[in-house]
DNA sequence: AAGATGACTGTAC
DNA sequence: GGTACAGCCATCT
């Protein structure tokens, strides 16, 4: 699909360190399309098909809520993966979200 | 071409 | 902090 935009989303998503999470808006903002946060989520749908190894489970909404868990192979997979990386998930929500939050802009600004 | 949809976000109550 | 509403924008029907 020529979606270079998606490629960038995947690239940023892959940069997320293990045990950390980020938000769709943060990724969108780092790509200069903060207003298209929804497109980031849409790109994540393709993540499992176009690019394996894209840790889409590390991307949550601005509240740290696992909004996309139902789009995974199984609804439990997302929190399973997060838990396996040391990210505690409670009630479909990332615990200490502000603490484990990883800002893509930080990496890009280096 | 126009309307509906969605893995979102920010503001308001 | 939870619910409600509006703004945004690519994709699909």
């Amino acid at each position: 699909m020529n979606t270079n935009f998606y490629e960038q989303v995947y690239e940023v998503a892959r940069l997320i360190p293990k045990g950390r999470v980020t938000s769709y808006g943060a990724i969108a903002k780092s790509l200069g399309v903060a207003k298209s946060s929804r497109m980031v989520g849409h790109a994540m749908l393709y993540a499992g098909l176009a690019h394996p190894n894209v840790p889409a489970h590390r991307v949550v909404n601005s509240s740290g809520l696992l909004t996309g868990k139902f789009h995974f192979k199984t609804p439990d997979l997302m929190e399973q993966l997060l838990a396996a990386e040391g990210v505690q998930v409670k009630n479909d929500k990332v615990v200490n979200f502000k603490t484990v939050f990883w800002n893509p802009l930080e990496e890009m600004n280096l």
Side-chain angles (χ1 to χ4, degrees):
Chain A
M1 277 215 235
N2 266 350
T3 54
N4 192 325
F5 171 69
Y6 290 159
E7 290 262 333
Q8 305 217 38
V9 176
Y10 303 144
E11 209 162 324
V12 176
R14 261 186 266 124
L15 289 176
I16 304 175
K18 180 182 162 209
R20 294 294 199 85
V21 298
T22 191
S23 68
Y24 303 95
I27 295 177
K29 193 171 185 180
S30 69
L31 295 179
V33 289
K35 297 170 179 186
S36 304
S37 50
R38 280 184 150 150
M39 298 303 95
V40 176
H42 214 131
M44 289 289 106
L45 280 172
Y46 282 71
L49 305 172
H51 289 254
N53 303 339
V54 175
H57 60 276
R58 292 180 189 154
V59 185
V60 296
N61 75 348
S62 62
S63 304
L65 193 67
L66 310 187
T67 51
K69 62 178 287 183
F70 288 103
H71 291 261
F72 279 77
K73 194 168 186 183
T74 66
D76 308 336
L77 185 59
M78 188 170 186
E79 50 185 291
Q80 291 279 332
L81 290 169
L82 287 174
E85 296 184 352
V87 178
Q88 292 184 325
V89 177
K90 194 79 166 185
N91 195 15
D92 296 345
K93 219 172 35 185
V94 174
V95 180
N96 297 327
F97 176 58
K98 284 162 54 177
T99 306
V100 298
F101 180 78
W102 175 81
N103 193 337
L105 294 170
E106 253 179 53
E107 270 308 298
M108 301 178 85
N109 195 12
L110 287 178

Coordinates of all heavy atoms in Angstrom, one line a residue, chain A residues 20-102:
Chain A
R20 N 8.8 -0.7 28.6 CA 8.3 0.7 28.5 C 7.1 0.7 27.5 O 6.9 -0.2 26.7 CB 9.3 1.6 27.9 CG 10.5 1.8 28.9 CD 10.1 2.5 30.2 NE 11.2 3.1 30.9 CZ 11.7 4.3 30.6 NH1 11.2 5.0 29.7 NH2 12.7 4.7 31.3
V21 N 6.3 1.8 27.6 CA 5.1 1.9 26.7 C 5.0 3.4 26.3 O 5.7 4.2 26.8 CB 3.8 1.5 27.5 CG1 3.8 0.1 27.9 CG2 3.6 2.5 28.6
T22 N 4.3 3.6 25.2 CA 4.1 5.0 24.8 C 2.6 5.1 24.3 O 1.9 4.1 24.2 CB 5.1 5.3 23.7 OG1 5.0 6.7 23.4 CG2 4.8 4.5 22.4
S23 N 2.3 6.3 23.9 CA 0.9 6.5 23.4 C 0.8 6.8 21.9 O 1.8 7.2 21.3 CB 0.3 7.7 24.2 OG 0.9 8.9 23.8
Y24 N -0.3 6.6 21.3 CA -0.5 6.8 19.9 C -0.2 8.3 19.6 O 0.5 8.6 18.6 CB -2.0 6.5 19.5 CG -2.4 5.1 19.8 CD1 -3.0 4.8 21.0 CD2 -2.1 4.1 18.9 CE1 -3.4 3.5 21.3 CE2 -2.4 2.8 19.2 CZ -3.1 2.5 20.4 OH -3.4 1.2 20.7
G25 N -0.7 9.2 20.4 CA -0.5 10.6 20.2 C 1.0 10.9 20.2 O 1.4 11.8 19.4
A26 N 1.8 10.3 21.1 CA 3.2 10.6 21.2 C 3.9 10.2 20.0 O 4.7 11.0 19.4 CB 3.8 9.8 22.4
I27 N 3.5 9.0 19.4 CA 4.1 8.6 18.2 C 3.7 9.5 17.0 O 4.6 10.0 16.3 CB 3.7 7.2 17.8 CG1 4.2 6.2 18.9 CG2 4.1 6.7 16.4 CD1 3.7 4.7 18.7
A28 N 2.4 9.8 17.0 CA 2.0 10.7 15.9 C 2.7 12.1 16.0 O 3.1 12.6 15.0 CB 0.4 11.0 16.1
K29 N 2.9 12.6 17.2 CA 3.5 13.9 17.4 C 5.0 13.8 16.9 O 5.5 14.7 16.3 CB 3.5 14.3 18.9 CG 3.8 15.7 19.1 CD 3.5 16.1 20.5 CE 3.8 17.6 20.7 NZ 3.5 18.1 22.1
S30 N 5.6 12.7 17.3 CA 7.0 12.5 16.9 C 7.2 12.5 15.4 O 8.2 12.8 14.8 CB 7.6 11.2 17.5 OG 7.0 10.1 16.9
L31 N 6.1 12.1 14.7 CA 6.1 12.0 13.2 C 5.6 13.3 12.6 O 5.6 13.4 11.4 CB 5.3 10.8 12.7 CG 5.8 9.5 13.2 CD1 4.9 8.4 12.6 CD2 7.2 9.2 12.6
G32 N 5.2 14.2 13.5 CA 4.7 15.5 13.0 C 3.3 15.5 12.5 O 2.9 16.4 11.8
V33 N 2.6 14.5 12.9 CA 1.2 14.4 12.5 C 0.3 14.1 13.7 O -0.5 13.2 13.8 CB 0.9 13.2 11.5 CG1 1.5 13.6 10.2 CG2 1.5 11.9 12.0
A34 N 0.5 15.0 14.8 CA -0.1 14.8 16.0 C -1.6 14.7 15.9 O -2.3 14.0 16.7 CB 0.2 16.0 16.9
K35 N -2.2 15.3 14.9 CA -3.6 15.3 14.7 C -4.1 14.0 14.1 O -5.3 13.8 14.2 CB -4.0 16.5 13.8 CG -3.7 17.8 14.4 CD -3.8 18.9 13.4 CE -3.5 20.3 14.1 NZ -3.8 21.4 13.2
S36 N -3.2 13.2 13.6 CA -3.6 12.0 13.0 C -3.3 10.8 13.9 O -2.9 9.8 13.5 CB -2.9 11.8 11.7 OG -3.1 12.9 10.8
S37 N -3.6 11.0 15.2 CA -3.3 10.0 16.2 C -4.1 8.7 15.8 O -3.6 7.6 16.1 CB -3.7 10.4 17.6 OG -5.0 11.0 17.6
R38 N -5.2 8.9 15.3 CA -6.1 7.7 14.9 C -5.4 6.9 13.8 O -5.5 5.7 13.8 CB -7.4 8.2 14.4 CG -8.3 8.6 15.5 CD -9.7 8.9 14.9 NE -10.7 8.6 15.9 CZ -11.9 9.2 16.0 NH1 -12.1 10.2 15.2 NH2 -12.7 8.9 16.9
M39 N -4.6 7.5 13.0 CA -4.0 6.8 11.9 C -2.9 5.9 12.5 O -2.6 4.9 11.9 CB -3.4 7.8 10.9 CG -4.4 8.7 10.2 SD -5.7 7.7 9.4 CE -7.0 7.6 10.6
V40 N -2.3 6.4 13.6 CA -1.3 5.6 14.2 C -1.9 4.3 14.7 O -1.3 3.2 14.5 CB -0.7 6.3 15.5 CG1 0.3 5.4 16.2 CG2 0.0 7.6 15.0
G41 N -3.1 4.3 15.3 CA -3.8 3.2 15.7 C -4.1 2.3 14.5 O -4.0 1.1 14.6
H42 N -4.5 2.9 13.4 CA -4.8 2.2 12.2 C -3.6 1.5 11.7 O -3.6 0.3 11.2 CB -5.4 3.1 11.1 CG -6.4 2.5 10.3 ND1 -7.6 3.1 10.0 CD2 -6.5 1.3 9.7 CE1 -8.4 2.3 9.3 NE2 -7.7 1.2 9.0
A43 N -2.5 2.1 11.8 CA -1.2 1.5 11.3 C -0.9 0.3 12.1 O -0.4 -0.7 11.6 CB -0.1 2.6 11.4
M44 N -1.2 0.3 13.4 CA -1.0 -0.8 14.3 C -1.7 -2.0 13.8 O -1.3 -3.1 14.0 CB -1.4 -0.4 15.7 CG -0.4 0.6 16.4 SD 1.2 -0.1 16.8 CE 2.2 0.7 15.5
L45 N -2.9 -1.8 13.2 CA -3.7 -2.9 12.7 C -2.9 -3.7 11.7 O -2.9 -4.9 11.6 CB -5.0 -2.4 12.1 CG -6.1 -2.1 13.1 CD1 -7.2 -1.4 12.3 CD2 -6.6 -3.3 13.8
Y46 N -2.1 -3.0 10.9 CA -1.3 -3.6 9.8 C 0.0 -4.1 10.4 O 0.7 -4.8 9.7 CB -1.0 -2.5 8.7 CG -2.2 -2.3 7.8 CD1 -3.3 -1.6 8.2 CD2 -2.1 -2.8 6.5 CE1 -4.3 -1.4 7.4 CE2 -3.1 -2.5 5.6 CZ -4.3 -1.8 6.1 OH -5.3 -1.6 5.2
A47 N 0.3 -3.7 11.6 CA 1.6 -4.1 12.2 C 1.8 -5.6 12.2 O 2.9 -6.1 11.8 CB 1.7 -3.5 13.6
G48 N 0.8 -6.3 12.6 CA 0.9 -7.7 12.7 C 1.0 -8.4 11.3 O 1.4 -9.5 11.2
L49 N 0.6 -7.7 10.3 CA 0.6 -8.3 9.0 C 1.7 -7.9 8.1 O 2.4 -8.7 7.5 CB -0.7 -7.9 8.3 CG -2.0 -8.2 9.1 CD1 -3.2 -7.6 8.4 CD2 -2.2 -9.7 9.2
A50 N 2.0 -6.6 8.1 CA 3.1 -6.0 7.3 C 4.5 -6.2 7.9 O 5.4 -6.6 7.3 CB 2.8 -4.6 7.0
H51 N 4.5 -5.9 9.2 CA 5.8 -6.0 9.9 C 5.7 -6.8 11.2 O 5.3 -6.3 12.2 CB 6.3 -4.6 10.2 CG 6.8 -3.9 9.0 ND1 8.1 -3.7 8.7 CD2 6.1 -3.3 8.0 CE1 8.2 -3.0 7.6 NE2 7.0 -2.8 7.1
P52 N 6.2 -8.0 11.2 CA 6.2 -8.8 12.4 C 7.3 -8.1 13.3 O 8.0 -7.2 12.9 CB 6.7 -10.2 12.0 CG 7.0 -10.1 10.5 CD 6.6 -8.8 10.0
N53 N 7.4 -8.5 14.5 CA 8.3 -7.9 15.4 C 8.0 -6.4 15.8 O 8.8 -5.8 16.4 CB 9.7 -7.9 14.9 CG 10.1 -9.3 14.5 OD1 9.6 -10.3 15.0 ND2 11.1 -9.5 13.7
V54 N 6.8 -6.0 15.4 CA 6.4 -4.6 15.8 C 5.6 -4.8 17.1 O 4.6 -5.3 17.2 CB 5.5 -4.0 14.8 CG1 5.0 -2.6 15.3 CG2 6.3 -3.8 13.5
P55 N 6.3 -4.3 18.2 CA 5.6 -4.4 19.5 C 4.4 -3.5 19.7 O 4.5 -2.5 20.5 CB 6.8 -4.0 20.5 CG 7.6 -3.1 19.7 CD 7.5 -3.5 18.2
A56 N 3.4 -3.8 19.0 CA 2.2 -3.0 19.1 C 1.6 -3.0 20.5 O 0.9 -2.1 20.9 CB 1.1 -3.5 18.1
H57 N 2.0 -4.0 21.3 CA 1.4 -4.1 22.6 C 2.0 -3.1 23.6 O 1.5 -2.8 24.6 CB 1.7 -5.5 23.2 CG 3.2 -5.9 23.3 ND1 3.9 -6.3 22.2 CD2 4.1 -5.7 24.3 CE1 5.1 -6.5 22.6 NE2 5.3 -6.2 23.8
R58 N 3.1 -2.4 23.1 CA 3.7 -1.4 23.9 C 3.1 0.0 23.6 O 3.5 1.0 24.1 CB 5.2 -1.3 23.6 CG 5.9 -2.5 24.1 CD 7.4 -2.4 23.9 NE 8.1 -3.7 24.1 CZ 9.2 -4.1 23.6 NH1 9.8 -3.3 22.7 NH2 9.8 -5.2 23.9
V59 N 2.1 0.0 22.8 CA 1.4 1.3 22.4 C 0.0 1.3 23.0 O -0.8 0.4 22.6 CB 1.4 1.4 20.9 CG1 0.8 2.8 20.5 CG2 2.8 1.3 20.3
V60 N -0.2 2.2 23.9 CA -1.5 2.4 24.5 C -2.1 3.8 24.3 O -1.4 4.6 23.7 CB -1.4 2.1 26.0 CG1 -1.0 0.6 26.2 CG2 -0.5 3.0 26.7
N61 N -3.2 4.1 24.7 CA -3.8 5.4 24.6 C -3.2 6.3 25.7 O -2.5 5.9 26.5 CB -5.3 5.4 24.6 CG -5.9 5.2 25.9 OD1 -5.1 4.8 26.9 ND2 -7.1 5.4 26.1
S62 N -3.6 7.6 25.6 CA -3.1 8.6 26.5 C -3.3 8.3 28.0 O -2.7 8.9 28.8 CB -3.6 10.0 26.1 OG -5.0 10.0 26.3
S63 N -4.3 7.4 28.3 CA -4.6 7.1 29.7 C -3.9 5.9 30.1 O -4.0 5.4 31.3 CB -6.1 6.9 29.8 OG -6.8 8.1 29.4
G64 N -3.1 5.2 29.2 CA -2.4 4.0 29.6 C -3.4 2.8 29.5 O -3.0 1.7 29.9
L65 N -4.5 3.0 28.8 CA -5.5 1.9 28.7 C -5.2 1.1 27.5 O -4.8 1.6 26.4 CB -6.9 2.6 28.6 CG -8.0 1.6 28.7 CD1 -8.1 1.1 30.2 CD2 -9.3 2.3 28.4
L66 N -5.3 -0.2 27.6 CA -5.0 -1.1 26.5 C -6.2 -1.2 25.5 O -6.9 -2.2 25.4 CB -4.7 -2.5 27.0 CG -3.7 -2.6 28.1 CD1 -3.3 -4.0 28.5 CD2 -2.4 -1.8 27.7
T67 N -6.4 -0.1 24.8 CA -7.6 0.0 24.0 C -7.6 -1.0 22.8 O -8.6 -1.3 22.3 CB -7.7 1.4 23.4 OG1 -6.4 1.8 22.8 CG2 -8.0 2.4 24.4
G68 N -6.4 -1.4 22.4 CA -6.3 -2.2 21.2 C -6.2 -3.7 21.5 O -5.9 -4.5 20.6
K69 N -6.4 -4.1 22.8 CA -6.1 -5.5 23.2 C -7.0 -6.4 22.4 O -6.6 -7.6 22.1 CB -6.3 -5.6 24.7 CG -7.8 -5.3 25.1 CD -7.9 -5.5 26.6 CE -8.0 -7.0 26.9 NZ -8.2 -7.3 28.3
F70 N -8.2 -6.0 22.0 CA -9.2 -6.9 21.4 C -8.8 -7.1 19.9 O -9.4 -7.9 19.2 CB -10.6 -6.3 21.5 CG -11.2 -6.4 22.8 CD1 -11.2 -5.3 23.7 CD2 -11.6 -7.7 23.3 CE1 -11.8 -5.4 24.9 CE2 -12.1 -7.8 24.6 CZ -12.2 -6.7 25.4
H71 N -7.9 -6.3 19.4 CA -7.5 -6.5 18.0 C -6.3 -7.4 17.9 O -5.9 -7.7 16.8 CB -7.1 -5.1 17.4 CG -8.3 -4.2 17.3 ND1 -8.9 -4.0 16.1 CD2 -8.9 -3.5 18.2 CE1 -9.9 -3.2 16.3 NE2 -10.0 -2.8 17.5
F72 N -5.8 -7.9 19.0 CA -4.7 -8.9 18.9 C -5.3 -10.2 18.6 O -6.5 -10.4 18.6 CB -4.0 -8.9 20.3 CG -3.0 -7.8 20.4 CD1 -3.3 -6.5 20.7 CD2 -1.6 -8.1 20.2 CE1 -2.4 -5.5 20.8 CE2 -0.7 -7.1 20.3 CZ -1.1 -5.8 20.6
K73 N -4.4 -11.2 18.5 CA -4.9 -12.5 18.2 C -5.9 -13.0 19.3 O -6.9 -13.5 19.0 CB -3.7 -13.5 18.1 CG -4.1 -14.8 17.4 CD -2.8 -15.6 17.1 CE -3.2 -16.8 16.3 NZ -2.1 -17.7 16.0
T74 N -5.4 -12.7 20.5 CA -6.3 -13.0 21.6 C -6.3 -11.7 22.5 O -5.3 -11.1 22.6 CB -5.9 -14.2 22.4 OG1 -4.6 -13.9 23.0 CG2 -5.8 -15.4 21.5
P75 N -7.4 -11.4 23.1 CA -7.5 -10.2 24.0 C -6.6 -10.2 25.1 O -6.2 -9.2 25.7 CB -9.0 -10.3 24.5 CG -9.7 -11.2 23.5 CD -8.7 -12.1 23.0
D76 N -6.1 -11.4 25.5 CA -5.2 -11.5 26.6 C -3.7 -11.3 26.2 O -2.9 -10.9 27.0 CB -5.3 -12.9 27.3 CG -6.7 -13.2 27.6 OD1 -7.5 -12.3 27.8 OD2 -7.0 -14.4 27.7
L77 N -3.5 -11.5 24.9 CA -2.1 -11.4 24.5 C -1.4 -10.1 24.8 O -0.2 -10.1 25.3 CB -2.1 -11.6 22.9 CG -0.7 -11.7 22.3 CD1 0.1 -12.9 22.9 CD2 -0.8 -11.9 20.8
M78 N -2.1 -9.0 24.7 CA -1.4 -7.7 24.9 C -0.9 -7.6 26.3 O 0.3 -7.3 26.5 CB -2.4 -6.6 24.6 CG -1.8 -5.2 24.6 SD -2.9 -4.0 24.0 CE -1.8 -2.6 23.9
E79 N -1.8 -7.8 27.3 CA -1.3 -7.7 28.7 C -0.3 -8.8 29.1 O 0.5 -8.6 29.9 CB -2.5 -7.7 29.6 CG -3.5 -8.8 29.4 CD -4.7 -8.6 30.3 OE1 -4.5 -8.7 31.6 OE2 -5.8 -8.3 29.8
Q80 N -0.5 -10.0 28.4 CA 0.5 -11.0 28.6 C 1.9 -10.6 28.2 O 2.8 -10.8 29.0 CB 0.1 -12.3 27.8 CG -1.2 -12.9 28.2 CD -1.0 -13.9 29.4 OE1 0.0 -14.4 29.6 NE2 -2.1 -14.0 30.2
L81 N 2.0 -10.0 27.0 CA 3.3 -9.6 26.6 C 3.8 -8.5 27.5 O 5.0 -8.5 27.8 CB 3.1 -9.1 25.1 CG 2.8 -10.2 24.1 CD1 2.5 -9.5 22.8 CD2 4.1 -11.1 23.9
L82 N 3.0 -7.6 27.8 CA 3.4 -6.5 28.7 C 3.9 -7.0 30.0 O 5.0 -6.6 30.5 CB 2.3 -5.5 28.9 CG 2.0 -4.6 27.7 CD1 0.7 -3.8 27.9 CD2 3.2 -3.7 27.3
A83 N 3.1 -7.9 30.6 CA 3.5 -8.5 31.9 C 4.8 -9.2 31.8 O 5.6 -9.2 32.7 CB 2.4 -9.4 32.3
A84 N 5.0 -9.9 30.6 CA 6.3 -10.6 30.4 C 7.5 -9.7 30.3 O 8.6 -10.1 30.6 CB 6.2 -11.4 29.1
E85 N 7.2 -8.4 30.0 CA 8.3 -7.5 29.9 C 8.5 -6.6 31.2 O 9.3 -5.7 31.2 CB 8.1 -6.6 28.7 CG 8.1 -7.4 27.4 CD 8.0 -6.5 26.2 OE1 7.7 -5.3 26.4 OE2 8.1 -7.0 25.1
G86 N 7.7 -6.9 32.2 CA 7.8 -6.2 33.4 C 6.8 -5.1 33.6 O 6.9 -4.3 34.5
V87 N 5.9 -4.9 32.6 CA 4.9 -3.9 32.7 C 3.7 -4.4 33.3 O 3.0 -5.3 32.8 CB 4.6 -3.3 31.3 CG1 3.5 -2.2 31.4 CG2 5.8 -2.7 30.6
Q88 N 3.3 -3.9 34.5 CA 2.2 -4.4 35.2 C 0.9 -3.8 34.6 O 0.8 -2.7 34.3 CB 2.2 -4.0 36.7 CG 3.3 -4.7 37.4 CD 3.3 -4.4 38.9 OE1 3.0 -3.2 39.2 NE2 3.6 -5.3 39.7
V89 N -0.1 -4.7 34.4 CA -1.4 -4.3 33.8 C -2.5 -4.6 34.8 O -2.6 -5.7 35.2 CB -1.6 -5.0 32.4 CG1 -3.0 -4.6 31.9 CG2 -0.5 -4.7 31.5
K90 N -3.2 -3.6 35.1 CA -4.3 -3.8 36.0 C -5.6 -3.2 35.4 O -5.7 -2.1 35.0 CB -4.0 -3.1 37.3 CG -4.9 -3.4 38.5 CD -4.5 -4.8 39.0 CE -5.1 -5.0 40.4 NZ -4.6 -6.2 41.0
N91 N -6.6 -4.1 35.3 CA -7.9 -3.6 34.8 C -7.8 -3.0 33.4 O -8.2 -2.0 33.1 CB -8.5 -2.6 35.7 CG -10.0 -2.3 35.4 OD1 -10.6 -3.1 34.7 ND2 -10.5 -1.3 35.9
D92 N -7.0 -3.7 32.5 CA -6.7 -3.3 31.2 C -6.0 -2.0 31.1 O -6.1 -1.2 30.1 CB -8.0 -3.2 30.4 CG -8.7 -4.6 30.3 OD1 -8.0 -5.6 30.5 OD2 -9.9 -4.6 29.9
K93 N -5.3 -1.7 32.1 CA -4.6 -0.4 32.2 C -3.2 -0.6 32.7 O -2.9 -1.4 33.5 CB -5.4 0.5 33.2 CG -5.5 1.9 32.8 CD -6.4 2.7 33.8 CE -6.3 2.2 35.2 NZ -7.3 2.8 36.0
V94 N -2.2 0.2 32.2 CA -0.8 0.1 32.6 C -0.7 0.8 33.9 O -1.0 1.9 34.1 CB 0.1 0.8 31.6 CG1 1.5 0.8 32.1 CG2 0.0 0.1 30.2
V95 N -0.1 0.0 34.9 CA 0.2 0.5 36.2 C 1.4 1.4 36.2 O 2.3 1.1 35.4 CB 0.4 -0.7 37.2 CG1 0.7 -0.1 38.6 CG2 -0.8 -1.6 37.2
N96 N 1.4 2.5 36.9 CA 2.5 3.5 36.9 C 2.8 3.9 35.5 O 3.9 4.0 35.1 CB 3.7 2.8 37.5 CG 3.5 2.5 38.9 OD1 2.8 3.1 39.6 ND2 4.1 1.4 39.4
F97 N 1.7 4.2 34.7 CA 1.8 4.6 33.3 C 2.8 5.7 33.2 O 3.7 5.7 32.3 CB 0.5 5.0 32.8 CG 0.5 5.5 31.4 CD1 1.0 4.7 30.4 CD2 0.1 6.8 31.1 CE1 1.0 5.1 29.1 CE2 0.1 7.2 29.7 CZ 0.6 6.4 28.7
K98 N 2.8 6.7 34.0 CA 3.6 7.9 33.9 C 5.1 7.5 34.0 O 6.0 8.1 33.5 CB 3.3 8.9 34.9 CG 2.0 9.7 34.5 CD 1.3 10.4 35.6 CE 2.3 11.3 36.4 NZ 1.6 12.0 37.4
T99 N 5.3 6.4 34.8 CA 6.7 6.0 35.1 C 7.3 5.2 34.0 O 8.4 5.4 33.6 CB 6.7 5.1 36.4 OG1 6.1 5.9 37.4 CG2 8.1 4.8 36.8
V100 N 6.5 4.3 33.4 CA 7.0 3.4 32.3 C 6.8 4.1 31.0 O 7.2 3.5 30.0 CB 6.2 2.1 32.4 CG1 6.5 1.3 33.7 CG2 4.8 2.2 32.1
F101 N 6.1 5.2 31.0 CA 5.9 5.9 29.7 C 7.3 6.3 29.0 O 8.2 6.7 29.7 CB 5.1 7.2 29.9 CG 4.8 7.9 28.6 CD1 3.8 7.5 27.8 CD2 5.6 9.0 28.3 CE1 3.6 8.1 26.6 CE2 5.3 9.7 27.1 CZ 4.3 9.3 26.3
W102 N 7.3 6.0 27.7 CA 8.6 6.3 27.0 C 8.2 7.3 25.9 O 7.4 7.1 25.0 CB 9.1 5.0 26.4 CG 10.3 5.2 25.5 CD1 11.6 5.4 25.9 CD2 10.3 5.3 24.1 NE1 12.4 5.6 24.8 CE2 11.6 5.5 23.6 CE3 9.3 5.2 23.1 CZ2 12.0 5.6 22.3 CZ3 9.7 5.3 21.7 CH2 11.0 5.5 21.4

